[in-house]
């Protein structure tokens, strides 16, 4: 079951990244082994995501080598199974992490009563949410998340409010038979409380479905403490 959830987590993440790009009018391309984007993705989003593991690593590295010849500037690769060696192509590892998942039956994260959760539904709310998620600074480039994403019933931008003030949030996306959770942030609040509330909201909005994602460092430790299971390693490579 874990390997099935891992494959679903990888696919969900690739579909989510493609959806973010598609909302800007520039979707990427899927093959049997990877997703790639030739024009450049929004900030913090990879240009290549591998969909299969070590048995297709050679094919994936060849595709990346071809892409290098047509791309300039910095870009990144999400090595979903930590199976590639991209150092010979001028890449460095930005970070390593773990895919995580939890079955619906195992979700027992309590929501703090002081937090009021709201689904973001308007362009004004999304602009406010993005500013909070990015640390409060106005975006220096175009917003990462286009308003078009709000029309998709399988995507939920959520904010947690306390005494009327936004204090955290995250994104849920239902694709590939699972619910991906990402972009978790907390403002003067416990990260665990925000993630726990997000998990509870996922169970309400998309009942009965597993929740997946990926984390690294302290965020990974806190997610595992909440009951998530580690599904497998990944790496993010960047080329400057």
């Amino acid at each position: 079951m874990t390997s099935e959830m891992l494959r679903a987590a990888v696919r969900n993440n690739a579909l989510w990244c493609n959806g973010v790009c598609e909302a800007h009018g520039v979707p990427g391309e899927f093959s049997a082994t990877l997703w790639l984007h030739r024009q450049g993705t929004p900030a913090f989003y990879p240009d290549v995501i591998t969909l299969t593991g070590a048995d297709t690593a050679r094919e994936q590295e060849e595709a990346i080598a071809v892409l290098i010849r047509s791309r300039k500037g910095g870009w990144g690769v999400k090595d979903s199974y930590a199976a590639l060696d991209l150092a010979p192509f001028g890449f460095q590892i930005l970070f390593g992490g773990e895919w995580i998942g939890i079955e619906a039956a195992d979700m027992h994260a309590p929501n703090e009563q002081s937090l009021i959760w709201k689904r973001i539904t308007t362009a004004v709310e999304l602009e406010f949410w993005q500013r909070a998620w990015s640390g409060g600074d106005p975006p220096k480039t175009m917003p990462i998340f286009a308003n078009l994403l709000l029309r998709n019933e399988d995507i939920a931008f959520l904010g947690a409010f306390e005494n009327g003030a936004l204090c955290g949030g995250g994104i849920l996306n239902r694709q590939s038979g699972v619910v991906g959770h990402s972009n978790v942030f907390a403002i003067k609040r416990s990260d665990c409380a925000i993630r726990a509330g997000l998990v509870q909201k996922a169970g309400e909005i998309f009942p009965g479905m597993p929740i997946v994602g990926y984390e690294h460092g302290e965020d990974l430790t806190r997610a595992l403490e909440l009951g998530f299971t580690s599904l497998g390693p990944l790496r993010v490579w960047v080329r400057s």
Side-chain angles (χ1 to χ4, degrees):
M1 179 61 70
T2 298
S3 61
E4 292 178 6
M5 189 183 290
L6 172 59
R7 288 192 291 270
V10 171
R11 186 76 180 178
N12 173 278
N13 184 254
L15 289 168
W16 163 245
C17 291
N18 188 65
V20 170
C21 296
E22 187 173 30
H24 287 291
V26 283
E29 306 169 27
F30 282 91
S31 72
T33 62
L34 51 77
W35 172 84
L36 64 83
H37 203 286
R38 300 183 189 276
Q39 290 79 35
T41 56
F44 310 121
Y45 278 75
D47 300 75
V48 174
I49 301 175
T50 60
L51 304 177
T52 50
D55 54 337
T56 57
R58 175 86 177 249
E59 177 183 342
Q60 293 163 347
E61 290 170 358
E62 290 173 352
I64 291 168
V66 171
L67 189 60
I68 287 173
R69 293 197 286 270
S70 64
R71 288 291 306 275
K72 295 181 180 179
W75 52 288
V77 174
K78 184 173 289 176
D79 180 7
S80 299
Y81 292 87
L84 303 182
D85 179 11
L86 299 181
F89 301 102
F91 286 85
Q92 295 180 322
I93 295 176
L94 179 64
F95 67 85
E98 294 280 334
W99 294 102
I100 56 176
I102 186 170
E103 293 284 358
D106 299 327
M107 297 177 196
H108 304 296
N111 182 19
E112 290 195 21
Q113 296 301 313
S114 61
L115 296 180
I116 304 299
W117 285 84
K118 174 180 171 57
R119 189 166 183 168
I120 306 304
T121 58
T122 70
V124 172
E125 290 175 343
L126 182 58
E127 181 181 1
F128 182 70
W129 185 98
Q130 289 198 71
R131 185 170 294 190
W133 166 74
S134 64
D137 295 326
K140 296 181 175 59
T141 60
M142 70 175 181
I144 294 174
F145 305 113
N147 297 333
L148 188 62
L149 293 169
L150 298 177
R151 304 177 193 174
N152 190 329
E153 294 183 354
D154 291 324
I155 296 172
F157 287 79
L158 293 164
F161 293 80
E162 188 170 35
N163 298 322
L166 180 65
C167 61
I171 303 173
L172 304 174
N173 81 93
R174 176 176 59 182
Q175 300 183 90
S176 195
V178 293
V179 177
H181 82 297
S182 63
N183 301 85
V184 181
F185 70 96
I187 304 170
K188 298 180 181 179
R189 212 55 177 79
S190 163
D191 287 13
C192 287
I194 297 299
R195 192 184 301 271
L198 190 64
V199 167
Q200 185 182 64
K201 293 304 294 183
E204 295 173 6
I205 298 171
F206 305 117
M209 300 191 70
I211 301 177
V212 298
Y214 73 91
E215 291 292 0
H216 70 286
E218 293 182 2
D219 290 333
L220 173 61
T221 300
R222 287 191 284 264
L224 296 177
E225 289 173 351
L226 280 175
F228 280 88
T229 297
S230 178
L231 303 176
L234 71 134
R235 288 192 294 240
V236 173
W237 298 79
V238 292
R239 189 174 192 268
S240 60

